[in-house]
Amino acid sequence: MAYTSIKVSVITLGYFFMLFVTFTSILNPIFASKICEFPAIFNLGDSNSDTGTLSAAFTPPNSPYGDTYFHMPSGRFSDGRLIIDFVAKSFDLPFLSAYLNSLGTSYTHGANFASARGTIRFPSPIIPANGGYSPFYLDVQYQQFLQFKERSQIIRKQGGKFAKLMPEEEYFREALYTFDIGHNDIGDGIFSNMSIEEVKASVPDIVNTFSIYVKNIYELGGRSFWIHGTGPIGCLAYVLTAFPSAEKDSAGCAKQYNEVARYFNYKLKEAVSQLRKDLPLAALTFVDLYPVKYSLFSEPKKYGFELPLIVCCGYGGKYNYSDAALCGETITVNNTKMVVGSCDNPSVRVNWDGSHYTDAANKFVFDRISTGEFSDPPIPLSMACRRNALLSL
């Protein structure tokens, strides 16, 4: 009888363990999922993820852009890598080549359609302090993606030496689609002399427009989406310099502009939640960059940074920034020509050129967001191919 009792107890314990694993797997998609293996990444966005689009189309940024990591200008608006570069390397994929690159370019493992100064909606003709907006707004990026998807497969079927530079057909279905855009849509409103309330009122339409393109890519077969919110625009020197009288918070950032950024993220998160219902086969992850980036301005010493509001590569003014003396430009000071250069140690600085982040800051942000701590659902980047099990029941 004692043996039977022990046997029943063991069976019962095993049964409950199986129930626990099953139940946990349903509630927690991370517990049940394997690591994703994306063969390619396709990215759409603005300068936060542009690896060479604006540079290929127009005048490329000069040194010291790229000097920290690439030791030369790389088409990126930073001294080194961007978050999208760290995303690619985390999957052992090469850095993404910009779609507009024409020389020595491989697209085997994806392509980048992001453009510096890019917007979700067609931008206004207003030319603000940051030099205007890109003609490669989201609709153009999407049209370029359509062309790339079709033409890349024509090249593969033709064979020859260029075929191996194109992604395989199934990669478009298995790829990770990343988005980092919206920052300039907020800037478009701010620099168009709209009131804060008017800028906020424009956000729902901006976000709704964004959703259209996610749906379009889904209809083309895309299934895994990693969508970034925007950062604290009110902490960036180009905004602080343009609006010196704006009310500041304890970190020295302009409150009202950060409020708009937070509102944009709130509406974007709502939109992604709706997209999960509309696109049942998609794995959609919203990533809130705001708290991670804001921590660099509010607690820089805690993370090994200093002078977060002061531009590393700039010249003049309270924040070492002036739109008349931008990073890498040649200016005349006291009848002497000089190049606007980098600070001595970019590795401890946050703001690179007034509107973009340093290589070190981008790595910090990637390391934090890749864990899933700031994601909805809380899925790490390595599992971004997995749908939230609760939503798929």
Side-chain angles (χ1 to χ4, degrees):
M1 292 295 293
Y3 172 79
T4 303
S5 177
I6 292 172
K7 184 176 181 180
V8 170
S9 298
V10 170
I11 293 173
T12 303
L13 181 62
Y15 175 73
F16 277 106
F17 178 75
M18 290 176 64
L19 282 178
F20 171 77
V21 171
T22 303
F23 185 71
T24 306
S25 299
I26 292 173
L27 291 181
N28 186 356
I30 298 175
F31 188 93
S33 301
K34 296 180 180 179
I35 300 297
C36 300
E37 295 182 359
F38 296 111
I41 297 174
F42 298 103
N43 180 71
L44 297 88
D46 56 30
S47 59
N48 290 305
S49 58
D50 180 0
T51 57
T53 293
L54 202 71
S55 174
F58 302 107
T59 304
N62 300 320
S63 177
Y65 281 100
D67 282 5
T68 295
Y69 182 82
F70 298 98
H71 308 298
M72 60 180 291
S74 64
R76 294 161 175 79
F77 287 83
S78 176
D79 62 313
R81 295 159 293 183
L82 309 177
I83 293 174
I84 188 63
D85 293 315
F86 294 107
V87 170
K89 296 307 291 183
S90 73
F91 293 109
D92 292 324
L93 297 176
F95 293 148
L96 294 183
S97 295
Y99 169 72
L100 291 187
N101 281 352
S102 58
L103 302 174
T105 302
S106 172
Y107 298 107
T108 306
H109 297 286
N112 195 353
F113 303 88
S115 171
R117 304 173 188 163
T119 53
I120 293 173
R121 300 190 305 180
F122 186 83
S124 75
I126 300 298
I127 305 299
N130 69 349
Y133 294 103
S134 169
F136 306 112
Y137 66 107
L138 188 55
D139 185 67
V140 174
Q141 294 181 32
Y142 172 70
Q143 295 301 326
Q144 290 175 336
F145 170 74
L146 285 179
Q147 289 190 36
F148 178 80
K149 185 175 186 295
E150 179 182 355
R151 294 171 66 183
S152 65
Q153 298 315 296
I154 292 174
I155 293 172
R156 283 191 62 84
K157 290 176 182 178
Q158 289 175 340
K161 60 183 179 180
F162 296 113
K164 65 181 180 181
L165 299 178
M166 299 295 126
E168 297 180 23
E169 184 176 7
E170 61 267 25
Y171 284 9
F172 290 94
R173 181 180 65 255
E174 300 169 355
L176 177 65
Y177 289 86
T178 55
F179 294 84
D180 194 328
I181 194 167
H183 176 104
N184 292 321
D185 292 87
I186 297 173
D188 186 23
I190 291 172
F191 285 95
S192 297
N193 295 319
M194 293 170 62
S195 69
I196 291 299
E197 290 308 313
E198 288 174 327
V199 177
K200 290 179 70 174
S202 71
V203 168
D205 183 63
I206 294 169
V207 169
N208 289 338
T209 300
F210 172 82
S211 294
I212 291 171
Y213 294 98
V214 175
K215 291 179 179 179
N216 288 347
I217 291 176
Y218 177 85
E219 292 301 321
L220 292 171
R223 291 295 180 264
S224 299
F225 300 88
W226 183 260
I227 299 168
H228 288 179
T230 195
I233 187 173
C235 296
L236 299 177
Y238 86 100
V239 171
L240 291 169
T241 299
F243 305 101
S245 61
E247 183 182 358
K248 309 299 192 301
D249 63 16
S250 59
C253 301
K255 282 186 176 182
Q256 58 184 356
Y257 302 114
N258 279 351
E259 287 174 5
V260 176
R262 286 195 297 268
Y263 180 66
F264 173 85
N265 289 347
Y266 169 74
K267 297 304 290 184
L268 182 60
K269 183 178 178 181
E270 274 192 344
V272 173
S273 295
Q274 182 60 46
L275 284 168
R276 291 196 194 98
K277 300 174 184 177
D278 298 338
L279 312 177
L281 300 180
L284 292 128
T285 307
F286 168 77
V287 186
D288 192 355
L289 297 186
Y290 186 96
V292 184
K293 287 187 173 182
Y294 185 75
S295 69
L296 288 170
F297 297 96
S298 61
E299 301 179 284
K301 291 183 180 179
K302 179 179 178 180
Y303 303 111
F305 291 89
E306 61 185 37
L307 303 173
L309 299 176
I310 308 302
V311 171
C312 177
C313 185
Y315 181 82
K318 180 178 179 180
Y319 302 102
N320 195 39
Y321 173 84
S322 169
D323 57 18
L326 299 175
C327 179
E329 289 187 349
T330 300
I331 62 173
T332 301
V333 178
N334 297 325
N335 297 320
T336 301
K337 288 188 176 181
M338 59 172 283
V339 174
V340 179
S342 170
C343 58
D344 292 335
N345 190 5
S347 67
V348 296
R349 301 295 287 274
V350 175
N351 194 325
W352 168 243
D353 61 1
S355 54
H356 306 104
Y357 291 77
T358 61
D359 177 280
N362 284 326
K363 183 179 187 305
F364 169 84
V365 174
F366 170 79
D367 289 342
R368 299 289 301 279
I369 65 172
S370 62
T371 65
E373 180 183 355
F374 300 92
S375 299
D376 177 45
I379 294 176
L381 174 62
S382 60
M383 295 179 182
C385 61
R386 306 297 174 181
R387 288 179 295 128
N388 185 296
L390 282 175
L391 293 172
S392 63
L393 290 176

